[in-house]
Amino acid sequence: MSLASINNEDLLWSENLPAGAHTSFRMRRGNRLRLTDCEGGANLAALFINDDERTERYNMADTLKAQHTFHLSEGFVCYSDMGRVLCSITADTLGWHDTVCGVSDAAHVLAKYGTASYQSHRNAMYRNGRDSLLIELEKWGLGKRDLVANVNFFSKIAADDDGNLQYQVGHSTPGNQVELRFELNTLVLLSTCPHPLDPNPHYQPKSVKLEAYRGDLPDQDDKCRNFRPENSRGFTNTERYFL
């Protein structure tokens, strides 16, 4: 299953984010970003920050609490720590995206996969999600204090009877897509490093296609606005920010 094609006149840019890579960019309010798992088994760690006021960031706890959920999918929105909506998930062919497990760090990658440095492996070096996002934060004058809990698109986590979280192997297949609509001018930071709970003993990250395109602001009948009563208040807070 895939989403409808994007009109060429609306497309702003498109690129493939290679496996184990990282990037960051600005998205203007109203525009959209489509994410496509190119190979199956991708993990795309994402941070969202208000580009007009960079102390305002994605808040995982409020996002889950306000929408009575443990995962993200179509209809859910990503809240900031100011109760505003950074972006909305307007379409999703997969149905489950993790936002509780964070990213791997250097010690975790070393213990799990061993060493593969740039000197020996060039661009195939082993990267970790934490350092990747910190590199992108530094490009915008931000740092460690701005590294908050993230979204892991394309990854599913389940809890067993004892409450242990387990990564669901084979959850995302090639071609699965997610579409985001940005409700604030947003700084987006991404990493395609493996999910920290991925049981694969080999370092095998996957690439993700990014497509940014023009879109409209939501009307009063918008699905994400009306998905939860709390979302309606979140959209009101967001729209008052621009009055």
Side-chain angles (χ1 to χ4, degrees):
M1 180 180 176
S2 59
L3 304 180
S5 300
I6 300 170
N7 293 328
N8 287 335
E9 59 267 29
D10 293 329
L11 187 65
L12 297 169
W13 53 265
S14 173
E15 68 175 87
N16 274 17
L17 183 61
H22 48 82
T23 190
S24 58
F25 47 86
R26 292 165 165 160
M27 289 295 294
R28 189 178 301 278
R29 169 173 158 82
N31 286 341
R32 304 191 183 207
L33 180 65
R34 181 172 294 184
L35 314 172
T36 302
D37 183 348
C38 300
E39 307 165 71
N43 177 70
L44 184 69
L47 285 181
F48 304 115
I49 296 172
N50 180 353
D51 195 39
D52 297 324
E53 176 49 72
R54 293 182 179 170
T55 59
E56 181 177 3
R57 316 174 187 103
Y58 173 64
N59 188 296
M60 175 269 284
D62 286 352
T63 295
L64 298 182
K65 179 176 62 178
Q67 299 175 102
H68 313 280
T69 184
F70 180 69
H71 70 283
L72 299 178
S73 185
E74 181 177 343
F76 290 107
V77 304
C78 294
Y79 280 96
S80 77
D81 49 15
M82 295 295 287
R84 290 187 274 263
V85 180
L86 283 156
C87 61
S88 303
I89 302 177
T90 52
D92 176 22
T93 66
L94 194 53
W96 187 297
H97 305 272
D98 164 54
T99 186
V100 300
C101 291
V103 292
S104 61
D105 60 21
H108 174 265
V109 168
L110 176 62
K112 187 172 184 179
Y113 304 112
T115 301
S117 65
Y118 178 76
Q119 286 72 19
S120 61
H121 287 68
R122 295 297 188 239
N123 287 333
M125 64 182 287
Y126 294 171
R127 297 180 175 88
N128 67 82
R130 185 175 189 274
D131 287 348
S132 295
L133 292 176
L134 283 174
I135 289 171
E136 294 304 324
L137 286 167
E138 290 285 346
K139 293 178 180 177
W140 302 92
L142 303 172
K144 290 182 179 179
R145 69 178 183 179
D146 304 295
L147 186 61
V148 296
N150 60 285
V151 181
N152 285 310
F153 288 107
F154 303 112
S155 291
K156 181 177 182 178
I157 299 299
D160 62 20
D161 292 340
D162 295 324
N164 300 307
L165 297 179
Q166 297 180 342
Y167 180 88
Q168 301 299 291
V169 176
H171 171 58
S172 182
T173 55
N176 272 302
Q177 296 180 309
V178 189
E179 182 182 86
L180 306 176
R181 180 186 63 218
F182 290 86
E183 316 296 355
L184 293 174
N185 297 320
T186 302
L187 177 60
V188 181
L189 305 102
L190 303 174
S191 163
T192 51
C193 288
H195 190 280
L197 298 186
D198 187 341
N200 186 347
H202 306 291
Y203 185 84
Q204 294 176 327
K206 304 297 174 61
S207 60
V208 173
K209 184 178 182 180
L210 313 175
E211 296 171 283
Y213 61 102
R214 296 182 181 86
D216 298 321
L217 294 175
D219 58 23
Q220 293 302 309
D221 296 327
D222 181 70
K223 179 176 182 178
C224 296
R225 182 194 296 273
N226 298 296
F227 192 64
R228 293 280 189 274
E230 292 83 356
N231 286 6
S232 179
R233 295 195 288 273
F235 274 88
T236 298
N237 288 339
T238 305
E239 288 156 353
R240 287 179 179 175
Y241 183 69
F242 291 94
L243 294 178

